[in-house]
Amino acid sequence: MIFLAGLIALSVGAAIVSGMVLYTETSRKTETQADAITRGDWRAGKQVVTRYNCGSCHKISGIDGASGMVGPDLADIGKRVTIAGSLPNDPETMVRWLMHPQQLHPGSGMPEMGLTEKEARDAAAFLYAKQ
């Protein structure tokens, strides 16, 4: 009986460790892919998103206090078909959107924040890495 309980505990522990390893490897792969497709740096993007206070309008996982309700929740933004309801969700459009939302979708609730191209690429990498 004690042997069986020990075997079960060992199995559960191994499953937990395996799940953690798989999650970590998947996250790293997603982050690497996000950097490649945007030509940005997701780590720097997290700082950009924080510095520009994007969380005052958007809910953004991974950013402390980012619980805004004005704009859409940005969870899984990389899996969505469109940006702003009508623009194709691809890396170049995302970068352009972050730099000049009013040029791409005049009248949108998304304000011009003045992001540079590098900042927009980094922010896009962060958003795509969070899917």
Side-chain angles (χ1 to χ4, degrees):
M1 185 71 144
I2 293 174
F3 175 74
L4 182 59
L7 188 57
I8 291 171
L10 183 61
S11 296
V12 169
I16 290 170
V17 170
S18 295
M20 290 170 51
V21 168
L22 181 61
Y23 173 79
T24 301
E25 287 177 12
T26 302
S27 293
R28 285 187 189 145
K29 183 178 178 183
T30 301
E31 292 159 355
T32 300
Q33 288 173 336
D35 284 354
I37 64 173
T38 61
R39 291 179 291 148
D41 178 340
W42 73 268
R43 287 179 188 89
K46 182 175 183 177
Q47 295 172 350
V48 169
V49 167
T50 300
R51 186 172 53 252
Y52 280 90
N53 203 20
C54 301
S56 65
C57 291
H58 298 279
K59 184 175 178 185
I60 310 167
S61 72
I63 302 292
D64 290 336
S67 57
M69 302 293 282
V70 176
D73 183 335
L74 297 180
D76 296 324
I77 186 72
K79 295 179 182 176
R80 297 183 197 165
V81 176
T82 60
I83 300 167
S86 62
L87 303 171
N89 187 0
D90 61 68
E92 289 306 313
T93 303
M94 177 66 81
V95 170
R96 288 187 3 249
W97 169 252
L98 293 171
M99 291 173 58
H100 301 293
Q102 292 302 312
Q103 288 179 9
L104 294 176
H105 195 283
S108 164
M110 176 79 163
E112 294 279 339
M113 299 297 293
L115 273 74
T116 66
E117 182 175 348
K118 178 174 180 357
E119 290 171 326
R121 289 192 179 285
D122 292 343
F126 174 74
L127 294 173
Y128 284 136
K130 293 288 127 194
Q131 43 183 325

